[in-house]
Amino acid sequence: MELQWPLILFTFFMCLSSGILFAQSVLALKGEGRAFQNTSLVASFVAMVVGGIAVFLHLQHWERIFNGFGHITSGITQELIGVVLLFLALLVFFLMARRSEDGSVPAWVAWVGIIVPVIMVAVMGHSYLMEGRPSWNTPMLIVYYLINAALMGSLTVLIIAAAKKQDGDFELLKKIVFISAILQLVALAVYAMVLGASVGTYADHGTYFDPTLPDIPKVEPAAVIGSLFTGSCALAFWGGAIVVGGILPICLSFLLNKAKDAGKTMTYACASLVCTAIGGLVWRGLLYVVALTIFAIFLH
Amino acid sequence: MANYAIITDLNRCTGCLACTVACKAINGVDVGSFWIKTLRIGPNPIEGGSGQYPDVEMYFLPVQCQHCEHPECVKVCPTEASHIREDGTIQIDKSKCIGCQFCVMACPYGVRYLNPEERVVEKCTLCEQRISQGDLPQCVQQCGARARFFGDLDKGVDNFEAPAHPDDPGTQYDEMIKTRVKLKDYVEPYKPTDIHHLKNAGNDPKLMYLLREGRKWRE
Ligand code: SF4
Ligand code: SF4
């Protein structure tokens, strides 16, 4: 399938938005990060708005959403509910922090800020699980989004902390970054193996011919998926998703864990976030390249 | 009310593309878009053969929306623009469609597409405008090999109907299309195991393909 940039950007920015609230709420649970929590909440909100605008660009007739949007079995409806919940979680965090004199929030607010982003990201991943598209129809999609969100969110919160010259050690957040960076690479590897193993699930017609597309070569699922590893997409996969998006964030997160001052934290966290973002966008794009339907030979 | 579907006898289909063309003409399907395509499957080596001509076989496969029992397109549609009609067909209410194209992604057969002018999704309607008047879908009516039969699954596939070819040399077109023959009475004998469906991805496609023993159904 062609790359659907609005959807790629939506999932990217929703992971970022959810991850930031998640990371800030983890800090809140430990009573840390109050000096910059509002900046984090704003950052999360901005990412949500950017993601929302991106997804609206995908709709051809968004004005018709008032004609009866809301069929509950639809992933889009579920995502919308998730976005509303995420917004409410942000709002509650903001209001509760304002109400207290020291900017602290009750533990339940922090827990809401941890759980709601997880639900949001899981629901978002779930909406792409379609039996007709084996490359997407795997829980690894949800697992990948969750880890990616935790990593990008924690890095962003560390960057905000460093920008506000908060020298605190934020041990826990740095650990989350390091562990998620490792898990992300593992998830990518497992997902790639799942893709490789899915080749046999497509309808196999042997030789076929579509008289309406005489100049289009035969669609071979094994070749399309194989192109990730050894073909035309290999550079994007190995270079973009694995090295830049998977391995470099681990190395940089390792250095980040050693960083003692805000300056170094800033440098490593920024570098790691940029790499994760590049890798995340590349991987999301590649998932469209390999998103064939089980009956892949009726093309428009 | 009913549960309409089509069965195509692949031992009869000659790949003449009449269904493909007739559909475009009656439904105004744009150049470059198709509600039904006639694909050629093969030539593929016959099992146990030499692997070379003449040990090969092939068939033609007219593919359109399969009007599934559990349509994924309906499940993922946020506006219920895609819906199951009382007659069992899957339809799109274009005035409700927001063009999110999730149905396009969810359909296992790639038969939906975004109409770039109207910016809504479309696909085969099983000629809703015709079948609601008691007529046959145009692809069934115009089938060049009398391989396609339309009917109500609740009444059994044996009773699916097509217009008969005129025995009488003088029969005019208008008269001919009013005649009806039943699948069971018209085509060569078949067994229940000769009836196939496109690969199922939990959507339970309803359209059927008849390919008798001796020729391998490929999915
Ligand atoms: S074939 Fe595709 S478009 Fe038609 S009902 Fe089934 S899932 Fe929907
Ligand atoms: S494109 Fe239209 S018919 Fe398809 S899922 Fe979206 S709203 Fe429903």
Side-chain angles (χ1 to χ4, degrees):
Chain A
M1 192 176 12
E2 309 87 68
L3 271 56
Q4 305 284 325
W5 277 106
L7 299 181
I8 292 173
L9 292 175
F10 173 72
T11 62
F12 177 85
F13 281 105
M14 287 320 295
C15 280
L16 182 61
S17 170
S18 307
I20 294 173
L21 177 61
F22 168 84
Q24 192 63 47
S25 301
V26 169
L27 287 185
L29 208 52
K30 289 192 71 194
E32 293 177 7
R34 285 176 207 160
F36 54 85
Q37 62 192 12
N38 279 346
T39 313
S40 292
L41 296 182
V42 169
S44 172
F45 179 69
V46 169
M48 180 195 289
V49 170
V50 174
I53 291 172
V55 84
F56 260 74
L57 294 177
H58 184 70
L59 304 183
Q60 302 290 322
H61 280 290
W62 64 266
E63 76 286 355
R64 292 187 187 159
I65 58 173
F66 306 109
N67 288 359
F69 188 95
H71 189 208
I72 196 66
T73 57
S74 155
I76 304 191
T77 304
Q78 294 162 2
E79 280 172 325
L80 182 69
I81 295 171
V83 173
V84 171
L85 287 179
L86 189 64
F87 174 72
L88 290 177
L90 276 174
L91 194 65
V92 166
F93 194 123
F94 176 73
L95 292 177
M96 293 305 278
R98 276 199 73 168
R99 255 183 59 173
S100 68
E101 277 174 11
D102 56 357
S104 65
V105 292
W108 70 264
V109 173
W111 277 112
V112 167
I114 290 170
I115 294 165
V116 170
V118 172
I119 295 175
M120 169 66 220
V121 173
V123 163
M124 184 173 73
H126 184 261
S127 71
Y128 291 92
L129 266 49
M130 301 170 175
E131 229 181 305
R133 293 196 189 259
S135 293
W136 291 355
N137 194 32
T138 158
M140 283 318 295
L141 185 63
I142 299 177
V143 171
Y144 170 75
Y145 279 159
L146 284 170
I147 298 169
N148 185 245
L151 180 54
M152 290 203 295
S154 306
L155 283 168
T156 308
V157 170
L158 282 173
I159 291 169
I160 291 170
K164 296 259 169 181
K165 300 268 181 288
Q166 294 294 309
D167 269 333
D169 42 18
F170 305 115
E171 283 282 318
L172 182 60
L173 222 45
K174 288 181 177 173
K175 275 208 186 85
I176 291 179
V177 165
F178 188 56
I179 293 168
S180 357
I182 292 173
L183 288 178
Q184 181 174 255
L185 184 62
V186 174
L188 277 168
V190 175
Y191 201 153
M193 282 192 260
V194 169
L195 286 180
S198 73
V199 166
T201 56
Y202 294 86
D204 180 8
H205 300 94
T207 305
Y208 72 87
F209 178 69
D210 178 348
T212 69
L213 297 170
D215 52 346
I216 303 282
K218 180 179 168 188
V219 180
E220 306 229 38
V224 173
I225 291 169
S227 76
L228 276 188
F229 311 122
T230 53
S232 54
C233 296
L235 183 64
F237 175 69
W238 293 110
I242 298 292
V243 175
V244 176
I247 297 172
L248 284 183
I250 297 179
C251 305
L252 291 162
S253 306
F254 179 76
L255 296 173
L256 177 67
N257 271 267
K258 300 250 171 258
K260 289 279 171 271
D261 58 86
K264 282 209 172 97
T265 300
M266 181 69 140
T267 310
Y268 294 132
C270 277
S272 187
L273 182 62
V274 168
C275 290
T276 308
I278 293 172
L281 288 171
V282 169
W283 182 238
R284 283 172 175 81
L286 288 173
L287 286 178
Y288 277 87
V289 175
V290 294
L292 298 171
T293 58
I294 54 155
F295 182 93
I297 67 177
F298 189 115
L299 304 175
H300 272 286
Chain B
M1 180 183 133
N3 201 5
Y4 289 137
I6 287 175
I7 185 162
T8 310
D9 186 338
L10 303 184
N11 293 101
R12 295 184 67 86
C13 173
T14 59
C16 70
L17 309 190
C19 52
T20 302
V21 176
C23 167
K24 283 180 79 81
I26 200 139
N27 293 307
V29 181
D30 256 352
V31 174
S33 298
F34 294 89
W35 287 5
I36 174 168
K37 281 189 180 189
T38 313
L39 305 172
R40 188 190 76 207
I41 306 299
N44 285 307
I46 290 173
E47 266 172 22
S50 65
Q52 301 295 322
Y53 177 83
D55 293 344
V56 291
E57 61 179 10
M58 65 176 205
Y59 57 85
F60 293 96
L61 186 70
V63 181
Q64 70 209 98
C65 168
Q66 303 290 304
H67 295 273
C68 306
E69 195 75 50
H70 299 107
E72 284 297 309
C73 54
V74 170
K75 188 172 134 198
V76 303
C77 177
T79 61
E80 295 183 75
S82 284
H83 60 280
I84 308 177
R85 207 167 170 260
E86 316 86 79
D87 62 5
T89 61
I90 310 306
Q91 305 294 348
I92 304 167
D93 179 345
K94 286 190 171 180
S95 68
K96 278 190 178 175
C97 175
I98 54 173
C100 67
Q101 297 159 75
F102 258 67
C103 54
V104 177
M105 297 194 245
C107 170
Y109 312 115
V111 297
R112 291 177 166 243
Y113 63 93
L114 185 78
N115 175 324
E117 255 160 53
E118 294 179 65
R119 290 182 291 131
V120 292
V121 164
E122 57 183 35
K123 63 157 191 84
C124 154
T125 60
L126 219 62
C127 285
E128 187 191 3
Q129 75 280 22
R130 296 172 53 82
I131 59 176
S132 56
Q133 315 269 335
D135 286 331
L136 294 168
Q138 191 74 348
C139 56
V140 171
Q141 180 155 302
Q142 296 293 326
C143 173
R146 194 52 68 238
R148 284 168 75 77
F149 291 75
F150 166 82
D152 181 353
L153 277 169
D154 295 343
K155 297 195 176 126
V157 70
D158 292 348
N159 295 313
F160 276 33
E161 290 181 334
H165 65 80
D167 283 333
D168 207 344
T171 312
Q172 294 301 300
Y173 177 77
D174 286 348
E175 255 175 83
M176 186 275 280
I177 57 171
K178 282 191 218 116
T179 61
R180 292 285 185 273
V181 282
K182 288 196 172 20
L183 178 78
K184 186 139 200 267
D185 304 332
Y186 193 81
V187 304
E188 296 69 19
Y190 54 87
K191 298 199 294 269
T193 48
D194 296 334
I195 296 178
H196 308 277
H197 296 88
L198 293 190
K199 197 172 176 75
N200 192 353
N203 46 299
D204 299 320
K206 277 198 305 225
L207 266 52
M208 294 154 288
Y209 297 95
L210 195 48
L211 191 65
R212 293 169 190 77
E213 230 173 85
R215 200 115 46 106
K216 190 179 170 209
W217 170 253
R218 290 167 202 272
E219 64 159 47

